[in-house]
Amino acid sequence: MLGDAQTWIKGPIEKENVLADVTTIMRKGKSIECRNHGYQFIVELWLLLHPSYYICNSLK
């Protein structure tokens, strides 16, 4: 798991600790399917670039 302002990745998470599985996100009145290829690309890009987020914030 990784939130927007989180400084570390939590995990791995044991299956018995999962309470729900998100399949759709509502953003600005639109629904986004989590299995959508475009959304999956953004997720992978976010995970790849996440370490640079802290470098950029430390320069402020």
Side-chain angles (χ1 to χ4, degrees), residues 24-43:
T24 305
I25 299 168
M26 295 297 294
R27 184 175 177 96
K28 297 182 181 180
K30 295 182 179 179
S31 65
I32 303 168
E33 297 292 323
C34 293
R35 294 177 191 230
N36 176 294
H37 293 294
Y39 179 75
Q40 288 295 316
F41 175 77
I42 296 297
V43 168

Side-chain angles (χ1 to χ4, degrees), residues 1-20:
M1 288 186 44
L2 180 62
D4 290 350
Q6 202 168 327
T7 56
W8 67 96
I9 296 175
K10 291 183 181 179
I13 298 171
E14 302 296 328
K15 189 172 184 169
E16 61 268 7
N17 292 328
V18 175
L19 300 175

